[in-house]
Amino acid sequence: RWNVNKSMNLQNKEKYLQEAAQWIKQGNVVAFPTETVYGLGGNALDSDAVKEIFRAKGRPNDNPLIVHIADRAQLDELVTEIPEVAEKLMKAYWPGPLTLIFKASDRVPSDVTAGLDTVAVRMPSHPVARELLLKADVPVAAPSANLSGRPSPTTADHVWTDLAGRIAGVIDGGPTGVGLESTVLDISGQHPVIFRPGGITLEQIAEVAADVELDQALVTEGQAPKSPGMKYTHYAPKGSLTLVRDPDRIHELVASETAQGNRVGVLTTENRQHKYKADFVFACGADGDLAKTAALLYNGLRQFDDHHIDVIYSEVFPESGVGAAVMNRLLKAAGGRIIE
Ligand code: TXA
Ligand code: MG
């Protein structure tokens, strides 16, 4: 486990990142911070390293990985064409939390793409991720560094809880910033299509590509998602989570579950935190501060587990801006359960 928090002196930081980069070059997998969540990285061009990522996470192998690069020039060997709209989006939002789906070149192992003819690529902005990628000098395939099905990790402790003993190491760069994964945007077809809402919002993409669409599966229930990862119940805490549109209803629900002997939790904001009488109440930021809510969400979901909560009720959040990603993850964590 390498510590490269800002407080470390520069020399140690260099040494640790060099060592971690070496591990990656040698075909091992290493967890590292990005501006969204921690990733579990291995050499994307080394099919054995990629298999090791799937093994460490317990990830189904029909779910493709995102390839991380630090330099625009690395894109050329990974893809067969770079559409005009991709150039514009990269100019506007790279480095940053936007993953683009291109037509894949022969260089990309099929383990990375799960046999699809496309490849997802992103250029993270986190300084530790960038330095690691530059030192490793290979494109790095990296899913979120959680055990498959658990909430994505936003601290090195989350990674360690899930993966200690299963990976070469984790670079501790402190808590991540955005707190939710990157936006996954397909630009390989006629129109850009959002497969997964994330750190770069629909509104931001529309500024550059006015014809952007949402994958129907994000809008209509029962539609098969275009992105394989979106079909899994994901991000789930151990307790059973239900979203509740009307906060007043939550009081009755909590009382009834408590009477049945369950340990009950509530996910709310600072504004109503003190009003709930539950075994554990998590304040996920303040009303109107969706960036803070996004940053705290996964940490909150994990805390319900730490408090051995059986039943969780969550308020709903506005779906504007990064709120779309917050609600997407909450609904998935709740297996779609919402009381209107
Ligand atoms: O912010 C992030 O994107 C983080 C950090 C570590 O970069 N990574 C991440 O990776 O969230 P992962 O593996 O947890 O999610 C990747 C998502 C999955 O839903 C996967 O199905 C989708 O991207 N994906 C990857 N390649 C794809 C492709 N060629 N076509 C469609 N979806 C793809
Ligand atoms: Mg993930």
Side-chain angles (χ1 to χ4, degrees), residues 4-313:
V4 292
N5 276 316
K6 286 198 194 77
S7 57
M8 294 293 290
N9 71 52
L10 210 58
Q11 227 182 357
N12 280 341
K13 183 173 151 183
E14 279 292 311
K15 184 170 140 276
Y16 290 135
L17 284 174
Q18 196 60 54
E19 200 176 326
Q22 206 53 41
W23 279 106
I24 286 180
K25 279 188 178 173
Q26 289 165 352
N28 298 293
V29 300
V30 167
F32 63 99
T34 82
E35 73 278 19
T36 56
V37 300
Y38 275 73
L40 181 59
N43 181 353
L45 303 179
D46 174 349
S47 153
D48 288 333
V50 175
K51 287 192 174 77
E52 186 59 23
I53 295 173
F54 281 90
R55 192 201 56 79
K57 278 197 64 146
R59 181 180 177 106
N61 59 14
D62 66 344
N63 191 3
L65 305 181
I66 296 171
V67 179
H68 296 66
I69 59 176
D71 184 344
R72 169 68 173 71
Q74 290 176 290
L75 186 62
D76 296 332
E77 73 168 329
L78 301 171
V79 308
T80 57
E81 60 181 281
I82 302 176
E84 188 62 38
V85 67
E87 295 286 4
K88 288 188 193 156
L89 287 160
M90 290 188 288
K91 192 156 177 273
Y93 301 119
W94 275 16
L98 176 66
T99 295
L100 298 176
I101 295 183
F102 297 90
K103 298 230 164 67
S105 80
D106 301 341
R107 289 282 285 141
V108 185
S110 62
D111 307 88
V112 171
T113 61
L116 299 174
D117 58 5
T118 53
V119 61
V121 186
R122 103 171 179 92
M123 186 187 287
S125 62
H126 195 293
V128 173
R130 286 186 62 77
E131 274 189 60
L132 178 70
L133 290 169
L134 287 171
K135 285 183 161 57
D137 199 28
V138 290
V140 169
S144 48
N146 50 293
L147 275 179
S148 204
R150 297 271 294 143
S152 293
T154 55
T155 67
D157 278 342
H158 295 164
V159 175
W160 212 237
T161 302
D162 280 11
L163 299 177
R166 303 172 72 98
I167 61 176
V170 52
I171 303 172
D172 187 347
T176 59
V178 178
L180 298 178
E181 299 86 345
S182 63
T183 304
V184 176
L185 183 72
D186 179 32
I187 44 83
S188 69
Q190 288 284 49
H191 299 276
V193 182
I194 294 181
F195 283 1
R196 177 177 76 180
I200 297 290
T201 64
L202 170 69
E203 294 87 337
Q204 285 174 301
I205 294 168
E207 279 173 29
V208 179
D211 60 342
V212 61
E213 294 172 358
L214 282 173
D215 180 7
Q216 274 308 309
L218 296 170
V219 188
T220 320
E221 220 178 308
Q223 286 273 329
K226 298 266 172 32
S227 185
M230 298 297 285
K231 72 174 183 261
Y232 297 102
T233 311
H234 221 182
Y235 318 112
K238 289 172 188 146
S240 131
L241 170 66
T242 303
L243 310 196
V244 185
R245 186 80 60 188
D246 174 9
D248 290 337
R249 274 299 305 278
I250 295 181
H251 299 283
E252 315 156 26
L253 292 162
V254 169
S256 144
E257 288 294 340
T258 305
Q260 290 171 55
N262 285 318
R263 284 181 59 76
V264 187
V266 176
L267 192 146
T268 176
T269 66
E270 290 161 17
N271 306 69
R272 283 168 303 288
Q273 178 181 25
H274 57 280
K275 292 195 175 158
Y276 293 106
K277 292 184 182 57
D279 294 293
F280 176 63
V281 179
F282 183 76
C284 207
D287 283 352
D289 189 353
L290 287 168
K292 194 68 187 282
T293 299
L296 293 176
L297 182 65
Y298 286 144
N299 192 19
L301 291 179
R302 280 175 182 263
Q303 284 192 39
F304 288 106
D305 289 348
D306 298 341
H307 287 83
H308 307 287
I309 298 299
D310 306 305
V311 181
I312 308 158
Y313 294 107

Side-chain angles (χ1 to χ4, degrees), residues 180 290 293-294 297 317-318 322-331:
L180 298 178
L290 287 168
T293 299
L297 182 65
F317 293 85
V322 77
V326 168
M327 280 302 289
N328 171 266
R329 305 306 192 275
L330 264 175
L331 266 166

